[in-house]
Amino acid sequence: MEFIDPALLTYCEDHSTEEDTLLKKITRETQAKVMLPRMISGHLQGKMLELFTKMQNPKTILEIGTYTGYSGICMARGLGKGGKLITLDINDELETMVRGFFEESGLAEQIDYRLGNAIEIIPTLPGPFDMVFIDADKNNYARYYELIIDKMNPGGIILADNVLWSGKILVEEGKKIDKDTQAILDFNSMVQNDPRVENALLPIRDGVMMARKI
Ligand code: SAH
Ligand code: CA
């Protein structure tokens, strides 16, 4: 499901700071060489992540789901001096490519890229986090949220991607709900009912839940 008229989306992109050569290259190489290239954040969402990071000025960001590094580089670009991004992914086939992009970004020193299952890695991270971007396997969204919520600084921002799940969260009566859709529905209502945060579900691209720890 497209949420926005393609002509409007093009207009939005034409009025958002252009992607630089590296981000264009990451997009090209992801499309040419990697499975499921639709998962990449892309121009508009990438710039949004960079600007959110600049507004939030986090000391530590945690990203769950690096993929080819696009969103990570966007957030790392928003970091101030001494700020750091920890980014996790279970897919070690992408490691060489991703490390190459991080080197090219000139920000590799601020990026701590770890391979493994985020469910196992997060409990080993002390925190605190000022910003978290949840963008890995959808059926674990609620678990990721529970693993990080107590490690968020007050005022810390949690962003979770794809929470509109191509519109599948609007369940038609009598229709069977698949596992991932159910996981997203559970995650969204969990955040909505959590008194520890204030939140807004932004209808950007595939939907971004923004929750701020009180
Ligand atoms: N944030 C990226 C896209 C992430 S795609 C961007 O916007 O460009 C989702 C990623 O989550 C995939 O690379 C996948 O390997 C990773 N992933 C899936 N399950 C995971 C897990 N249990 N632990 C860590 N990473 C996981
Ligand atoms: Ca995503």
Side-chain angles (χ1 to χ4, degrees), residues 26 36 39-42 45 49 63-72 75 87-92 94 114-121 133-140 144 161-162 205:
I26 297 176
L36 303 169
M39 298 204 299
I40 199 167
S41 269
Q45 181 154 329
L49 288 172
E63 175 178 57
I64 311 170
T66 318
Y67 191 48
T68 51
Y70 191 107
S71 49
M75 291 188 286
T87 182
L88 313 178
D89 207 291
I90 200 165
N91 185 357
D92 55 15
L94 298 174
R114 301 197 197 181
L115 289 153
N117 188 345
I119 292 288
E120 285 156 25
I121 298 174
F133 184 46
I134 305 177
D135 195 19
D137 47 332
K138 309 307 158 193
N139 60 323
N140 276 320
Y144 294 137
D161 196 25
N162 308 102
R205 214 184 55 135

